[in-house]
Structures are given as structure tokens and as C-alpha cells.
Amino acid sequence: NAGVTQTPKFRILKIGQSMTLQCTQDMNHNYMYWYRQDPGMGLKLIYYSVGAGITDKGEVPNGYNVSRSTTEDFPLRLELAAPSQTSVYFCATSPGGNSPLHFGNGTRLTVT
Amino acid sequence: RKEVEQDPGPFNVPEGATVAFNCTYSNSASQSFFWYRQDCRKEPKLLMSVYSSGNEDGRFTAQLNRASQYISLLIRDSKLSDSATYLCVVNKGNTPLVFGKGTRLSVIA
């Protein structure tokens, strides 16, 4: 039972490159979330999903895209990386909207 | 008023001390409350849920004050290993849980 798995753990991108951050869960949770956390700052919600086929924007969605074709997977896509997207990205899941979240270990992304 | 507000700290306390953090929230209809702990460069981890009647888990006590719209976390007999950032989390109707920016605690030997 792995819980929430994020890959890669670290990545360095050049400006303008694209990449997909992977998040997969084996807890059969309906809700999945993507957050970013800049150094010394709080968590900011990028996108979330309440079930397969449904996604919604969070607080800071610009520059990102998501899809949710299965319950298990919720990838986050960066199309044109910018230095402002340098951050730590956390994926999280929960069984319901008011339930506590379970986080993955995070992906540290640097855009130079 | 911000949705969820916390004193960023840092709170620097000696080992063995008792320390308390408060967190205020703006939505009077909020029903779910949690405290998370985040260690430096790690993911947040659930510390405890906060129930209406208050609840205790070992050295940790959580309280909810609906009239004044705040929750609190009390840590007794602080350990060096309690050093971390403590995040207050509140629900906001049908939208995702809202995280506070956290209160940093440093327990000193």
C-alpha cells in the first residue's frame, strides 16, 4: 500500500520546456489535489478533482493543466516552464471534500 | 478577514515548556478543522482533527471556539522533535480545504 506516489522527486527545466508531474494513488480516494509551495510560504491550490473526468481550477491555475481519466492518476502538466514555476509541488488525496488530505512526498522543480 | 489566519511565529520555547497556537477562520459555516505538521522540505502530515468538544492526543490538545471562530493547538512538555511548522486547515463549504500559512515552532534544548 504505497499511498500517494509522486514522480519525479527532483527536476530541473529550462525556460520554455514542458513536463508532466505524475501523481498516482492506491487508496481509492475520489478527491485529488495539486498544491505548490514556494520557499517559506504556504500551500497554494493549483487544480483539484472530485472524481474521474472532473477537474476544477484552484487559486493559481495559470500555466498548468490537469486531467483525470482514472481514479488513480492525476497528472499535472506544465506547457511552457517559467522561472516563477520554481517550487515544490505536492499532490494530495482525500476520500471526501471535508476529509483530511494525504500528501505525496513532493516534486522539487527548478526552472532556469 | 483572511479565510484562515495564523501567527507565523517563530515561537522559540525551551524543552518541557507548554506552547499554544491559535488559528482564526472567517467562514462561520465551516464544519471540519484539522491541524497538520510540516517538517522542513517535507510534505504536510495530519497531526489531529479538531472536534467540537475538544480532543486530546497524548501531549497535544485541540480546541474549537465557534463563537469566536478560532481553533487552538496546545502542546505540553515540548520535545526537540516537536520543532516544525503547524498548519491550520479549515473547510469552506463544498470547496477544497483551506490551509493557513503555518506557525513555526522551534523547541530549544
Side-chain angles (χ1 to χ4, degrees):
Chain A
N1 189 350
V4 183
T5 303
Q6 292 185 237
T7 56
K9 289 191 179 351
F10 304 92
R11 183 75 187 267
I12 298 174
L13 281 182
K14 293 191 187 313
I15 294 171
Q17 286 185 319
S18 60
M19 77 164 292
T20 298
L21 283 68
Q22 301 291 348
C23 176
T24 188
Q25 53 119 345
D26 62 2
M27 296 184 289
N28 202 33
H29 285 173
N30 285 325
Y31 286 64
M32 295 188 76
Y33 312 82
W34 275 106
Y35 289 89
R36 62 175 284 174
Q37 187 173 36
D38 299 332
M41 304 295 284
L43 294 163
K44 293 184 179 178
L45 182 64
I46 305 172
Y47 271 97
Y48 67 102
S49 168
V50 301
I54 306 168
T55 62
D56 273 298
K57 294 179 180 180
E59 182 186 356
V60 290
N62 291 344
Y64 306 95
N65 278 300
V66 292
S67 59
R68 184 93 184 272
S69 55
T70 66
T71 298
E72 293 78 20
D73 300 303
F74 190 40
L76 178 71
R77 178 92 179 150
L78 282 71
E79 289 294 350
L80 290 169
S84 60
Q85 293 177 305
T86 294
S87 192
V88 180
Y89 291 82
F90 290 108
C91 177
T93 73
S94 69
N98 292 329
S99 305
L101 274 58
H102 302 259
F103 284 84
N105 291 341
T107 294
R108 298 183 191 289
L109 175 68
T110 301
V111 182
T112 60
Chain B
R1 188 181 193 177
K2 291 183 183 175
E3 288 180 301
V4 178
E5 203 152 5
Q6 296 183 251
D7 181 342
F11 284 60
N12 299 314
V13 302
E15 269 187 296
T18 296
V19 62
F21 313 131
N22 280 347
C23 165
T24 58
Y25 60 94
S26 61
N27 189 337
S28 59
S30 295
Q31 293 293 327
S32 300
F33 308 90
F34 309 97
W35 282 103
Y36 275 71
R37 171 197 169 122
Q38 186 175 25
D39 294 293
C40 189
R41 299 172 71 79
K42 300 275 192 166
E43 75 275 18
K45 292 184 178 176
L46 179 67
L47 180 65
M48 58 198 302
S49 302
V50 185
Y51 302 120
S52 297
S53 54
N55 47 299
E56 193 173 301
D57 183 0
R59 297 181 294 108
F60 299 85
T61 300
Q63 297 275 358
L64 167 64
N65 185 317
R66 286 194 186 278
S68 301
Q69 292 183 211
Y70 74 86
I71 65 172
S72 63
L73 177 68
L74 180 80
I75 306 175
R76 288 182 299 277
D77 189 22
S78 298
K79 313 288 185 194
L80 293 175
S81 58
D82 293 334
S83 297
T85 297
Y86 291 84
L87 307 175
C88 167
V89 186
V90 179
N91 86 312
K92 191 181 71 165
N94 292 326
T95 57
L97 297 174
V98 180
F99 281 76
K101 293 187 177 178
T103 296
R104 211 164 85 229
L105 171 66
S106 183
V107 181
I108 305 159

